[in-house]
Amino acid sequence: MTQTFDQAVAELDTEPAGSDAMMEMLGLRGRGVRIAVAATVVVYVFIGLALPKLDISTTKFVVSIIGSIGLVLALIASASGRTDPIGLPRTITAVVLGAASGSAVWWTIPLGVGNWVRPGAPMVVFAVAMCLLIVRGRVRWAWAGFVLVIGLCVYAVIVWEWQSGIGLQVLLRMFLTLVPATLIMFFMRPLLRFVRVLDLKEVAAVEAEVASSATAEQRRVRLLELERDVQPLLEQAAEGGELSPSDMERARLLEAALRDEVRGRTLVSPGVRRAVARARETGIAVSIFDDTSPDELDFASVEPIRAELISALGEVRSGSIVARLLPSGRDAAATITHVDGTYVNRRVCRSLDSGGAAWEYDNDGATLK
C-alpha cells in the first residue's frame, strides 16, 4: 500500500459532514448500547432503594432526586447524537450536568457508616458517562470531568468534613475506569478509521471496475457497429469494385466518426453521434475535441454540454462547428464555435458554484436564455 495512514485519513475527512460511519463501526447504533445505559440506571436506582433510608430533610431529599435525574440525563446525553465525534453541546451537557448532579447527590449524604458506600453510586454513573464520551471521541472532555470530581472530593473533605478515604476510593474507581477506556480508544479509533478508508477504497475500486466494464462493453458494441458499416465497403474494395460517390461519402463520414471517438471521447454520446452525422450529411464541417486529462472525466457534468452541442448542430445550416472541452484551471469548461464565412459565433460554457452551467456569447457577453 503506497498511501500513508495520514493520507488515508485525510481522504476520509473529505466525506460529507455528519457521516456516522464510525458510530456504526463502534456498534453505538445497536440495541446493546441502549440496554447497557438502561441497566446502569436500573442498578443505580436499585442501590439507592436497597441501602438503608437516610434521615435527611425534605430539601435534601428533593435535591438528591433532582441530582439523580441529572445524572441519568448526563448519561443519556453522552450516549445520544449521530455525529462522530459527539457534538460539543452534548459533550458539555454530559460533563457539566453530570458533575453538578453528582455534587448535588453528595451534598445530601450525611456523615456516617453508609457514607462509605453511597458516594460511589452516583460517581459510577458519571464515570460510565465519561467513558461513553471517550468512546465518542471526546477524551479531553471526559478527563475534564474527572478533574471536576477531584475538585468535588477536595471540597467534600475540607468543607463537608468527609474522611479523605471516601474521596480517594471514588477517585481510584473512576480513574481505573477511564484509563482502560482511553487506552483502548487510542488504539481502536485509528484502526477503525483506517478500516473505513480501506472500505472506501474498495468501493471506489468496484465502481472503477464497473465503469471500466461498461466502457469496454460500449466499445465492443461500437466496434460491432463499425464492422457492420465498414465490412461491405472493404469487401467491395477487395473484390476490385469501384466505390460510388455515395459509398465514398459514407466512408468519409465513418472516418470522421472514428476521429470523433478518439479526439472527443468525453463529448461523444449516441445523441451527439446522431446529431453530428446529420450535420455532416448536409455539408457542415464538424470537429470535436476533448482537451481534458483522463482523470478529469466526469460524464454527468458533461451532459449539459452535449445537450448544447446537439442544439447548436440542429440550428446551423452551413459553415463549420468546432466543439471543445477545456482542461481544468481554465475560466471556461467548454466552447462551441460556429464559423460561416465572415460570421463567427462563439459560445462559452462557464461552470457555476451550484453545479450547473451558464452559456455566454463570447462576442458580446450576452447570456443565453
Side-chain angles (χ1 to χ4, degrees):
M1 184 175 297
T2 58
Q3 261 191 334
T4 66
F5 174 74
D6 291 338
Q7 291 172 333
V9 169
E11 286 190 10
L12 180 62
D13 290 337
T14 62
E15 286 191 304
S19 176
D20 57 354
M22 183 67 74
M23 297 284 292
E24 298 290 348
M25 290 188 289
L26 288 171
L28 297 176
R29 288 277 172 266
R31 185 183 302 175
V33 175
R34 295 191 292 271
I35 293 176
V37 171
T40 303
V41 176
V42 170
V43 171
Y44 174 71
V45 174
F46 174 78
I47 291 175
L49 296 176
L51 291 175
K53 185 178 181 180
L54 293 176
D55 185 15
I56 57 178
S57 64
T58 303
T59 301
K60 286 192 173 184
F61 177 77
V62 173
V63 170
S64 67
I65 297 298
I66 295 175
S68 298
I69 295 175
L71 286 170
V72 173
L73 293 176
L75 182 62
I76 293 175
S78 64
S80 60
R82 298 185 58 86
T83 59
D84 183 77
I86 185 174
L88 196 56
R90 293 181 186 274
T91 302
I92 297 175
T93 298
V95 173
V96 176
L97 179 61
S101 300
S103 302
V105 175
W106 271 24
W107 176 72
T108 64
I109 301 175
L111 296 174
V113 178
N115 184 264
W116 285 91
V117 180
R118 293 182 183 275
M123 290 309 149
V124 167
V125 176
F126 185 60
V128 172
M130 296 303 98
C131 284
L132 282 173
L133 288 186
I134 291 174
V135 173
R136 303 290 301 277
R138 295 294 186 179
V139 178
R140 292 188 179 90
W141 281 96
W143 282 98
F146 179 70
V147 172
L148 293 177
V149 175
I150 293 176
L152 174 60
C153 290
V154 173
Y155 186 86
V157 171
I158 296 176
V159 179
W160 296 337
E161 297 181 352
W162 283 13
Q163 296 183 17
S164 58
I166 299 175
L168 289 176
Q169 58 95 9
V170 171
L171 290 177
L172 182 61
R173 291 177 182 175
M174 190 171 183
F175 180 78
L176 294 179
T177 302
L178 297 184
V179 168
T182 302
L183 293 177
I184 290 174
M185 285 300 105
F186 275 161
F187 289 101
M188 185 66 69
R189 289 183 67 87
L191 178 61
L192 291 178
R193 287 177 66 83
F194 196 69
V195 169
R196 175 60 175 162
V197 171
L198 295 180
D199 289 342
L200 293 176
K201 288 192 171 298
E202 183 177 359
V203 171
V206 172
E207 291 177 347
E209 183 178 356
V210 171
S212 177
S213 299
T215 302
E217 178 63 19
Q218 184 179 14
R219 288 176 178 174
R220 187 186 69 83
V221 172
R222 182 57 180 155
L223 287 174
L224 290 176
E225 294 175 351
L226 289 173
E227 181 182 0
R228 185 179 64 248
D229 294 334
V230 173
Q231 186 175 359
L233 298 176
L234 294 178
E235 291 177 350
Q236 184 177 351
E239 293 174 356
E242 294 185 2
L243 297 178
S244 65
S246 62
D247 289 336
M248 295 180 63
E249 179 65 14
R250 183 181 174 190
R252 185 184 67 80
L253 294 176
L254 286 174
E255 180 188 7
L258 287 174
R259 291 180 182 275
D260 293 340
E261 300 282 350
V262 176
R263 298 185 301 186
R265 57 192 183 281
T266 310
L267 272 176
V268 175
S269 68
V272 171
R273 194 179 295 116
R274 289 190 296 268
V276 170
R278 287 193 299 267
R280 283 173 176 158
E281 288 174 356
T282 60
I284 300 171
V286 182
S287 299
I288 301 177
F289 300 98
D290 181 3
D291 294 337
T292 61
S293 59
D295 57 352
E296 294 176 341
L297 296 182
D298 186 357
F299 292 96
S301 63
V302 174
E303 193 58 39
I305 300 175
R306 292 173 178 164
E308 186 70 18
L309 175 57
I310 293 174
S311 175
L313 290 170
E315 293 173 359
V316 300
R317 295 294 179 267
S318 60
S320 64
I321 281 188
V322 178
R324 187 183 299 274
L325 277 180
L326 301 178
S328 61
R330 302 288 185 88
D331 59 350
T335 60
I336 299 176
T337 305
H338 174 216
V339 180
D340 189 0
T342 59
Y343 171 77
V344 178
N345 179 16
R346 186 169 183 266
R347 311 184 192 194
V348 178
C349 176
R350 305 190 189 279
S351 300
L352 302 178
D353 294 337
S354 60
W359 288 90
E360 301 175 354
Y361 285 116
D362 188 59
N363 308 57
D364 54 11
T367 303
L368 294 178
K369 301 297 185 180

